Amino acid sequence: MAILLKKRGALLVLMFNIFLVFTGIGLIIPIMPKYMNILGINGSTIGLLVATFSLTQFLFSPLAGRWSDSYGRKRMILSGMILFAISEGVFGLASSPVLLFVARMLGGISAAMIMPAIMAYTADITTNDERAAGMGFVNAAITTGFIIGPGIGGYIAEFGIRVPFYSAAVAGIVAACITALVLKESKPVKEKTAGYLAEEKPQSSLLSQLKSSYREPYFLSLIIVFVMSFGLANFETVFGLFVDHKFGFDPQDIAFIITFGSISGAVIQATAFSWILKRFGEKRVISLCLLFAGVFILLTLFTHKFWMIFAVTFIVFLAIDILRPAIGTQMSILANEQQGYVAGLNSAFTSLGNIAGPIVAGFLFDLDINYPYVLACIVLLICFVFSLRVKTQRDATVSFD
């Protein structure tokens, strides 16, 4: 009983930390138009700011994953939360575009430090049977933070354009203090994979790690992580513009649709995800989610009423919300003693999708309002077919082993 309570307490701390980080990512979305006027920046600069965060996270994620294996999960989480607080404070104080870029770079580094360590920590304190539930809780916090961040930012901004960032900085310091006082190291540093670092996975560059990842048993999962992130970023980047141009939705309509979808997805992750995975298995769940996400994104192009848009969008978010932890669970089981390393690659491939998705979506949207969703559908359905073909081969390999 005491062990169970400790696990739950640790998971709550992890969820709080990752929730803050992903809330901070979305804070700038409703506020940037005013920042454009204050600092005299254009839309291209804002696009680069979004890409800077994801690019920095991408570059640092594999290295941060290794550090969590060699120096401890807690140390990485604590350092990352402090850096997160600093980045939010710098963004709030920024009086020039240069400081905005510095703040987003620091934020990307903090996310790279925190996300792999939290995923690895969750894997450390859960058994194979508990893993799905643990990953579901953590990913529910990620989903909720990422989606409601813009809403929180818009509400707090009524008290001042910079107040949301100061608030996030204070919350980050509080989370760091709680982490330092409450969270225990999940795995002694001396037991970390020293041999693995020296022999199986020597210190290598990000490019080398990405090149060698195709030989790993979890490579398909990494590809799906990229496709999922690309498709979701593609979908979310132009969603507000799409429904505004096509249906005349106001900000309240858009906020309601996105918020309801995110909360519902988080509830499913926290309550029913473990049962879903045990009932159908990771591979089947991943394939079905890819299929549903692709089909319902395409159906968005053929809806004309608010309730239809609401229903279709809800299914898309739900499919992605189930897909994300399912992939994480699958990779954590395949990773064995490389939890931090694999979690780092997971974060890196997520960042690649988050970099490419918005850029491509914005370009296609300028060509035709429907093109971003057509591409997202095609990519997701191709990945669905690919996952079915590879699954049979992978199952045969697993059963043989």
Side-chain angles (χ1 to χ4, degrees), residues 119-319:
M119 293 297 185
Y121 194 112
T122 303
D124 289 340
I125 65 173
T126 55
T127 64
N128 284 342
D129 290 337
E130 301 168 341
R131 190 74 46 79
M135 291 294 179
F137 282 122
V138 171
N139 281 278
I142 292 174
T143 301
T144 304
F146 185 75
I147 300 298
I148 72 173
I152 294 176
Y155 174 77
I156 301 179
E158 294 182 3
F159 301 95
I161 193 64
R162 301 177 187 271
V163 172
F165 304 106
Y166 297 148
S167 302
V170 172
I173 293 297
V174 171
C177 293
I178 293 174
T179 299
L181 295 174
V182 176
L183 203 65
K184 305 296 182 183
E185 179 56 60
S186 61
K187 194 174 182 182
V189 174
K190 66 180 181 180
E191 293 181 8
K192 298 223 181 280
T193 53
Y196 142 69
L197 288 173
E199 298 172 13
E200 294 182 17
K201 299 287 180 184
Q203 296 294 334
S204 57
S205 66
L206 171 64
L207 185 60
S208 297
Q209 293 179 34
L210 292 175
K211 284 182 177 179
S212 63
S213 65
Y214 78 91
R215 295 193 296 263
E216 303 291 356
Y218 42 78
F219 179 67
L220 172 62
S221 297
L222 291 173
I223 293 299
I224 296 175
V225 165
F226 169 77
V227 173
M228 174 195 69
S229 300
F230 178 92
L232 182 59
N234 193 303
F235 178 77
E236 290 183 332
T237 297
V238 300
F239 178 76
L241 296 175
F242 179 83
V243 295
D244 174 70
H245 284 61
K246 199 165 187 177
F247 308 111
F249 284 9
D250 58 35
Q252 290 76 20
D253 294 329
I254 297 170
F256 175 77
I257 291 174
I258 295 178
T259 301
F260 183 86
S262 66
I263 293 175
S264 300
V267 170
I268 294 295
Q269 287 179 345
T271 58
F273 174 71
S274 180
W275 176 85
I276 291 172
L277 228 57
K278 290 179 180 178
R279 175 68 176 82
F280 300 102
E282 292 91 351
K283 296 176 182 178
R284 185 178 297 177
V285 168
I286 290 170
S287 296
L288 288 175
C289 286
L290 286 168
L291 175 62
F292 274 87
V295 169
F296 277 83
I297 284 177
L298 183 63
L299 288 178
T300 305
L301 304 180
F302 303 98
T303 54
H304 303 286
K305 297 181 179 179
F306 177 84
W307 70 267
M308 295 175 67
I309 289 287
F310 175 83
V312 169
T313 306
F314 168 73
I315 297 298
V316 172
F317 278 120
L318 185 61

Side-chain angles (χ1 to χ4, degrees), residues 31-47 49 100 161:
I31 300 171
M32 283 314 298
K34 290 187 177 180
Y35 261 76
M36 289 176 64
N37 297 328
I38 293 173
L39 302 180
I41 57 180
N42 55 27
S44 298
T45 303
I46 292 178
L49 280 172
L100 293 181
I161 193 64

Side-chain angles (χ1 to χ4, degrees), residues 32-73:
M32 283 314 298
K34 290 187 177 180
Y35 261 76
M36 289 176 64
N37 297 328
I38 293 173
L39 302 180
I41 57 180
N42 55 27
S44 298
T45 303
I46 292 178
L48 288 174
L49 280 172
V50 175
T52 295
F53 182 98
S54 297
L55 178 61
T56 309
Q57 183 184 9
F58 163 68
L59 293 174
F60 276 84
S61 288
L63 180 60
R66 288 188 177 282
W67 284 348
S68 80
D69 281 337
S70 56
Y71 300 120
R73 325 296 195 204

